[in-house]
Amino acid sequence: MNEMGNRIARKRKDLGMTQSEFADQLNVTRQTVSRWEAGTVLPDIDKISDIADLLGVSCDYLLKDDVTEENETVNKGVSRLLRAAEGKKVRLNFFEDEADYDLFNTDCRIIAFEGGWMKVQALTKKGTIEKLIPVSSVLSMEIRQEDE
C-alpha cells in the first residue's frame, strides 16, 4: 500500500464509511476505491480535490508524504488576499515554465483552495473545465469585472 492509499483508507475508516459508501459519494466504483487504497492505481488528479473535501483534509495531505496529520492544519492555510479572490472571476498569469495552456488568456473562477492548491473553473473552447492547479505556479492574478 502506498502512503496516499494508507491515508485515504485511514481517514475513510475514521469517518465510519465503507468503501462502497465512499465510492458512491465520489461517483466511482468500490473497486476503484479498493485499488486506490491498495496503491495499485492513483486517483485521477481531478478527483484529488473531491477526495480531500470528502475526507476533510487538504490536497497536500494526500499528495505529499511529508505532510502529517499534526501539521495538516498549518498547511491548510491560504493567505487572506488569496482567500478574498475565492468565488471571483480572475485571470491567472503563470510562471513561464509552469504555464497552463487551457487557462492562458482566459477568465476563470476560483472555486476553492486546499493547502497549496486551487480549484478553478473556466469556459474554454473545450467547454467548461475544472482544474486543480498548484498556487505556486501562479505568478499573478487579476480580479476581473463580473458580467452584469
Side-chain angles (χ1 to χ4, degrees):
M1 196 183 284
N2 66 0
E3 188 59 30
M4 183 187 298
N6 284 331
R7 290 174 178 202
I8 291 172
R10 184 172 46 251
K11 287 298 202 177
R12 174 186 59 76
K13 290 173 186 174
D14 287 349
L15 293 171
M17 276 195 274
T18 65
Q19 285 184 340
S20 294
E21 292 166 337
F22 189 66
D24 287 345
Q25 296 218 17
L26 292 168
N27 295 316
V28 298
T29 65
R30 184 203 57 78
Q31 292 82 358
T32 297
V33 172
S34 177
R35 288 191 293 265
W36 292 343
E37 292 180 359
T40 57
V41 297
L42 294 173
D44 291 336
I45 193 69
D46 60 333
K47 281 288 183 201
I48 297 290
S49 180
D50 296 334
I51 293 168
D53 286 345
L54 187 55
L55 295 176
V57 298
S58 71
C59 294
D60 280 349
Y61 175 75
L62 294 175
L63 295 168
K64 294 181 176 182
D65 289 344
D66 62 340
V67 177
T68 63
E69 288 186 69
E70 292 79 33
N71 66 14
E72 165 71 356
T73 55
V74 172
N75 289 321
K76 269 187 159 177
V78 171
S79 76
R80 286 188 320 238
L81 287 173
L82 285 177
R83 186 70 65 197
E86 192 170 351
K88 295 186 177 171
K89 184 165 59 167
V90 299
R91 175 127 341 148
L92 302 173
N93 295 303
F94 297 89
F95 286 101
E96 187 175 320
D97 59 338
E98 298 189 38
D100 188 307
Y101 296 105
D102 287 332
L103 300 176
F104 178 74
N105 208 23
T106 301
D107 290 342
C108 59
R109 188 165 309 278
I110 298 174
I111 305 298
F113 289 99
E114 281 291 328
W117 297 84
M118 74 170 78
K119 187 174 188 177
V120 298
Q121 183 179 61
L123 181 60
T124 68
K125 293 177 185 175
K126 300 176 187 177
T128 301
I129 62 168
E130 283 190 4
K131 293 193 90 167
L132 186 63
I133 59 173
V135 173
S136 62
S137 68
V138 177
L139 175 63
S140 65
M141 175 185 320
E142 175 187 351
I143 298 177
R144 307 287 286 187
Q145 188 72 24
E146 293 290 336
D147 299 327
E148 304 277 339

